[in-house]
Amino acid sequence: MLLFSISPVNLMHTLAMALDLAVDGVSLHQKRVAIMCSYIAEKMSIKLHEEQALLSAALMHDIGAASFSDERKRISDPKLTGSNPMVIFVHAENGYILLKDSEPFSFIAETIRHHHDNWSGGNPSGLSGDQIPLHSRIIHLADRVDINIDKNKPILACRSDLKKLIEANRGRNFDPMVVDAFMECSEKESFWLDLTIPDYVNSFKNRMNLGGTPYNMADLVKIAELFATLIDRMSRFTATHSRSVSGVAVFLAQVHGFSESELHLVKISGLLHDLGKLSIPNKILEKPGPLDPQEQMTVRQHTFFTYRILSQIEQMETVAGWAAFHHETLDGKGYPFKIDASDLSIGSRIMAVADIFVALTENRPYRQKLPQHTVEKIMMSMVDNNKITASVVHNLLTNYKTAEQIVLSQENWTQPATVTEV
Ligand SMILES: [Fe+2]
Ligand SMILES: [Fe+2]
Ligand SMILES: [Fe+2]
């Protein structure tokens, strides 16, 4: 197995972008919350390795809502307009359910579960005061500050109202000790201005890199599986899409003679190939008819985001290319980079073929899965039109039953449960 060693917080710092994706780009909510948490932790003299756990949780805190665009909209509304106040706890519980058994992330599951718990109680968890994990109390305050920032004003013009809002909820929503730390550090203009460029805060990044047990390849596979779950649960039509593409791509890579360690990278690439789909509203993915031109453009953004996110992760350059170029075509007319045959590696070509095969053999909102002769006809015409690679398609079609079995075997896999109320 290849020697991989990636700093956990650094990896989460990049993956947080995927969780904050929206149609118009990246919202950076979780990064800003993490920066505020880092200031507050310093003020509260929290030890470095504890701070790293806090920042990891801050960077992932809304993971339970990542697959559901309407819910993300709802929880970013400072007033939770018109809804039951208990809805805010739903994504916290779903984040907990998702992470508690996922070994590389299980250490932040409890923190995420309680990140909306109010200090004075009345929470579904039944906890109050210092029974609520300290990290959750810090994230709660930072989260409310960020959600209440008026994005139409210069950030320094928001400072006084936000401080009043937090002070007014001292001892009710927020731990008085955390409020004190926030009041002190937010005196500095730089506290606020750092939130406007969250990627450039070097002291934050440097502190994140120190110590901690790095993630290895086995951890990365588990993390990729977790993100595949987030992507695939966006629509019932794609419940196992990423896992199937990954399985078919690994099979084709084996046939093409990839090494054992390369196969691990193919597996990760397949699981993450549609990572950028987290930017697409669920209603587009579920639309029971053809997409209009604007919706098509929105869908086409996804591989761009997959590439830009994955290529920021250290040692993942190969994965980024294999994963993200699956809608590029040999004639250079694919998207979004218009890469042609001369720059498309065999890993990317395999991913494109695996993705098309799996898509054609899955049900879609507007059609049932297609029979073998139709799949063969479509794929051969794409070869004839210089879209996908003949040798890869040949290896797939001569092993059709095996590939079909890989897709079918995923149907036994069940998504982790999702609660709709607490
Ligand atoms: Fe939240
Ligand atoms: Fe895709
Ligand atoms: Fe796909």
Side-chain angles (χ1 to χ4, degrees):
M1 201 176 264
L2 276 183
L3 276 178
F4 258 78
S5 87
I6 296 182
S7 143
V9 191
N10 247 352
L11 179 67
M12 290 188 219
H13 190 254
T14 307
L15 291 177
M17 281 174 71
L19 303 181
D20 275 336
L21 277 174
V23 172
D24 52 356
V26 187
S27 85
L28 301 176
H29 166 66
Q30 292 175 114
K31 285 193 183 182
R32 285 193 301 268
V33 168
I35 287 182
M36 282 187 264
C37 287
S38 150
Y39 268 102
I40 295 170
E42 206 180 0
K43 208 33 94 188
M44 295 179 78
S45 307
I46 286 176
K47 291 201 179 72
L48 181 69
H49 81 277
E50 279 294 310
E51 182 184 343
Q52 287 173 331
L54 164 65
L55 300 183
S56 301
L59 288 165
M60 300 274 123
H61 71 270
D62 283 335
I63 193 166
S67 317
F68 312 109
S69 42
D70 285 347
E71 173 138 34
R72 286 173 53 184
K73 221 175 277 160
R74 207 162 37 232
I75 63 172
S76 341
D77 175 355
K79 296 190 181 68
L80 271 176
T81 325
S83 42
N84 169 354
M86 299 309 265
V87 298
I88 196 80
F89 297 103
V90 171
H91 73 285
E93 187 63 20
N94 282 326
Y96 167 76
I97 295 169
L98 203 59
L99 299 184
K100 68 180 171 39
D101 303 318
S102 166
E103 203 191 299
F105 286 160
S106 54
F107 71 106
I108 55 175
E110 273 297 329
T111 301
I112 287 179
R113 183 179 217 176
H114 299 287
H115 81 272
H116 285 287
D117 280 10
N118 294 309
W119 173 258
S120 61
N123 305 305
S125 65
L127 304 186
S128 63
D130 54 20
Q131 295 170 321
I132 302 166
L134 174 62
H135 293 179
S136 312
R137 289 179 252 151
I138 298 174
I139 293 172
H140 186 197
L141 184 146
D143 175 83
R144 289 300 97 187
V145 172
D146 191 56
I147 293 297
N148 281 284
I149 289 173
D150 181 344
K151 310 288 185 299
N152 299 313
K153 282 188 191 168
I155 195 153
L156 291 175
C158 303
R159 173 165 65 162
S160 130
D161 283 349
L162 288 167
K163 291 184 82 160
K164 274 187 213 147
L165 177 82
I166 299 300
E167 187 58 52
N169 289 292
R170 172 192 289 271
R172 190 165 43 183
N173 298 118
F174 309 123
D175 173 358
M177 200 172 67
V178 178
V179 174
D180 285 342
F182 164 73
M183 287 302 159
E184 262 186 72
C185 52
S186 63
E187 274 305 298
K188 296 180 190 172
E189 281 80 3
S190 58
F191 170 93
W192 299 97
L193 294 169
D194 274 344
L195 304 180
T196 63
I197 42 170
D199 269 339
Y200 295 92
V201 184
N202 286 329
S203 65
F204 168 73
K205 276 196 168 172
N206 292 340
R207 278 210 302 290
M208 291 193 308
N209 273 330
L210 298 167
T213 312
Y215 284 145
N216 58 27
M217 179 72 94
D219 296 321
L220 285 179
V221 170
K222 287 188 197 144
I223 292 167
E225 282 170 344
L226 179 79
F227 274 75
T229 300
L230 289 179
I231 300 158
D232 289 351
R233 71 182 0 183
M234 295 184 77
S235 161
R236 71 205 129 101
F237 297 101
T238 57
T240 52
H241 175 80
S242 302
R243 281 176 164 77
S244 295
V245 170
S246 179
V248 173
V250 168
F251 170 70
L252 291 173
Q254 256 162 349
V255 177
H256 278 264
F258 278 45
S259 70
E260 198 56 34
S261 32
E262 286 171 327
L263 291 177
H264 287 290
L265 296 182
V266 173
K267 181 170 185 173
I268 294 173
S269 307
L271 289 165
L272 297 178
H273 77 284
D274 276 339
L275 184 65
K277 260 197 190 168
L278 292 166
S279 67
I280 306 173
N282 305 68
K283 64 174 191 302
I284 296 185
L285 299 175
E286 298 262 284
K287 189 172 174 185
L291 302 182
D292 68 31
Q294 200 170 324
E295 289 163 340
Q296 278 174 27
M297 284 176 213
T298 301
V299 169
R300 282 176 161 230
Q301 293 181 159
H302 77 279
T303 41
F304 172 80
F305 288 129
T306 299
Y307 186 75
R308 286 289 181 247
I309 294 170
L310 294 182
S311 58
Q312 285 192 37
I313 303 174
E314 47 192 313
Q315 306 173 61
M316 296 279 265
E317 300 79 7
T318 308
V319 164
W322 289 354
F325 299 155
H326 63 273
H327 294 299
E328 303 291 345
T329 52
L330 300 177
D331 61 2
K333 291 183 180 162
Y335 63 88
F337 296 108
K338 300 275 176 282
I339 296 173
D340 65 19
S342 57
D343 285 319
L344 277 174
S345 70
I346 183 70
S348 307
R349 293 167 184 230
I350 284 175
M351 201 60 64
V353 169
D355 184 51
I356 293 164
F357 173 74
V358 172
L360 296 174
T361 54
E362 284 172 330
N363 292 329
R364 283 289 176 271
Y366 47 88
R367 62 147 171 84
Q368 289 294 302
K369 63 170 94 173
L370 301 174
Q372 181 171 349
H373 68 272
T374 314
V375 173
E376 286 174 349
K377 213 168 120 198
I378 294 175
M379 296 192 86
M380 286 315 297
S381 86
M382 292 180 83
V383 169
D384 294 342
N385 289 319
N386 198 26
K387 299 294 180 192
I388 52 179
T389 309
S391 60
V392 181
V393 173
H394 172 78
N395 286 338
L396 174 78
L397 297 183
T398 50
N399 293 284
Y400 197 96
K401 289 290 166 226
T402 311
E404 193 178 40
Q405 202 44 49
I406 292 171
V407 178
L408 287 174
S409 67
Q410 296 300 330
E411 286 174 5
N412 299 325
W413 179 80
T414 40
Q415 292 264 354
T418 321
V419 297
T420 51
E421 55 182 52
V422 286

